Amino acid sequence: MAQVSDKRLLRALRGEVLDRPPIWLMRQAGRYLPEYRETRAKAKGFLDLCYSPNLAAEVTHQPLRRFAFDAAILFADILLVPDALGQGVAFKEGEGPVLGAITDEAGLTALSLANVEAHLAPVFETVAKLSATLPNDVALIGFAGSPWTVATYMVGGRGSPDQRAARVWAYRDPDGFAKLIDLVTEATVLYLQQQIDAGAEVIQLFDSWAAQLPDHEFDCWVIAPTAKIVAGLNESHPDVPIIGFPRGAGAAGVRYAAETGVTAIGLDTGTPIAWARENLQNRLPVQGNLDPLTLVAGGTALEGEARRILTGFGNGPHIFNLGHGIVPETPPENVARLVDIVTSWKNS
Ligand code: 1CP
């Protein structure tokens, strides 16, 4: 039988209320660290960095050398899945990701599951390296984008403020759009199973663009595919906890928590603490939800908000994190200050 881990993140995910919550931060590796920018300059491009196990493992380690985080998150990107499906993804300097947009069912013929696992093999190698080299008390988080969020990039061809292209296709031709979602769902299950086999101890599903969907769309494109991924992973790897992050879901987060089967739910910056305590934390562990911009501001704003979250969620299972990723202009010393506040906290 698998041994029960006493790593702080895993204890919180089992529902334990701890003396202080575990802490890790979304995008804890990245452009706000000078050593990341240095490693990044050595790679040919961003994708090359993701597909080079030595470099990807190095940037995953970098924040842990500076800060006492309780977890490391694999360095990769949610858009590796469309790349592995054959869509062709490029990261242009200063512009973000660019993909050859697929806007109707005919476009799906360009995609195939056949090469997904072989294409993503370097990522599994990164996970294996991390699993062998991380400190004993640090949990290793693997991740993927959720199918809806990944599809918004596949259909739009780039990031967009309102995910218009995917939403229009989903309304115009729900059956065709469902085929795209099913394909991404299947690829994601394979991808995450192999991350776990290589040593990932926790999985996070990023649904960064889950806001703005009406009830029926939220059920079809956010809840249903997430539930399929959770069921697939539970079947092959029943002991691995899954954190779902449906950013911007608001009150629909209650249905998401009840119906997807996720172990824990990530809360964005705008989620009111008292509401989340009563509607979510009473049923499952919650993660979040410090505004990443308090980390840019620092000082009393950072300390006040961090303490408000620690106090607000201190009586139930909680993982300290941001409500969205660290932004590049964050001073690293503010991250050090935050980790200090959280790791010296004692719940009363
Ligand atoms: O040039 C660079 O160095 C690129 C910056 C960068 C980084 C550091 C990108 C491009 N991706 C990443 C890494 C990354 N992306 C991680 C690594 C682990 C960590 O957290 O430390 C993770 C988990 C992601 C996930 C990701 N990628 C998401 C979901 C989380 C979120 O922030 O909402 C999304 C939406 C992406 C797409 C993406 N990757 C990169 C860019 C510029 C974008 C587009 C964002 C947008 O549309 O606004």
Side-chain angles (χ1 to χ4, degrees), residues 27-29 36 40 46 73 76-78 143 153 206 208 324:
R27 296 279 178 104
Q28 66 190 30
Y36 169 82
R40 167 88 163 78
F46 177 70
I73 179 162
D77 196 83
I78 64 165
F143 76 93
Y153 290 93
F206 286 90
S208 303
H324 199 192

Side-chain angles (χ1 to χ4, degrees), residues 12-173:
L13 285 166
R14 289 198 295 269
E16 286 186 46
V17 182
L18 303 167
D19 52 344
R20 60 103 180 154
I23 176 171
W24 71 279
L25 302 179
M26 292 187 277
R27 296 279 178 104
Q28 66 190 30
R31 286 170 291 181
Y32 76 108
L33 292 176
E35 58 271 34
Y36 169 82
R37 297 195 296 269
E38 209 173 289
T39 309
R40 167 88 163 78
K42 282 190 209 153
K44 278 184 237 111
F46 177 70
L47 281 179
D48 190 54
L49 176 56
C50 294
Y51 291 134
S52 304
N54 285 329
L55 297 181
E58 162 60 21
V59 294
T60 307
H61 270 285
Q62 285 171 349
L64 292 148
R65 294 193 193 112
R66 285 182 181 248
F67 315 117
F69 288 130
D70 295 296
I73 179 162
L74 162 69
F75 191 86
D77 196 83
I78 64 165
L79 299 177
L80 300 189
V81 166
D83 196 46
L85 283 166
Q87 189 170 11
V89 176
F91 280 85
K92 304 230 162 118
E93 291 308 322
E95 220 187 292
V98 182
L99 302 82
I102 293 173
T103 53
D104 57 22
E105 196 178 334
L108 298 179
T109 52
L111 306 179
S112 159
L113 283 171
N115 288 325
V116 165
E117 287 165 283
H119 186 95
L120 295 168
V123 178
F124 312 138
E125 202 180 318
T126 306
V127 174
K129 276 182 195 296
L130 290 167
S131 177
T133 53
L134 284 170
N136 287 335
D137 54 347
V138 172
L140 176 55
I141 303 170
F143 76 93
S146 297
W148 165 254
T149 287
V150 173
T152 66
Y153 290 93
M154 295 176 81
V155 180
R158 55 183 64 236
S160 65
D162 61 5
Q163 301 77 55
R164 177 172 304 209
R167 286 162 65 197
V168 169
W169 180 4
Y171 285 123
R172 198 183 58 223
D173 170 24

Side-chain angles (χ1 to χ4, degrees), residues 9 11-17 21-24 204 242-246 253-254 257 262-268 271-290 309-310 312-322:
L9 176 63
R11 291 176 63 194
L13 285 166
R14 289 198 295 269
E16 286 186 46
V17 182
I23 176 171
W24 71 279
Q204 173 147 322
I242 301 166
I243 305 168
F245 178 47
V254 176
V262 292
T263 315
I265 186 165
L267 308 176
D268 57 67
T271 310
I273 293 178
W275 178 87
R277 220 173 24 224
E278 280 167 36
N279 293 284
L280 295 168
Q281 201 190 22
N282 58 343
R283 291 169 218 188
L284 79 176
V286 295
Q287 172 175 281
N289 67 339
L290 184 71
I309 289 165
L310 287 161
F313 288 125
N315 292 326
H318 177 224
I319 299 154
F320 198 99
N321 206 319
L322 304 175

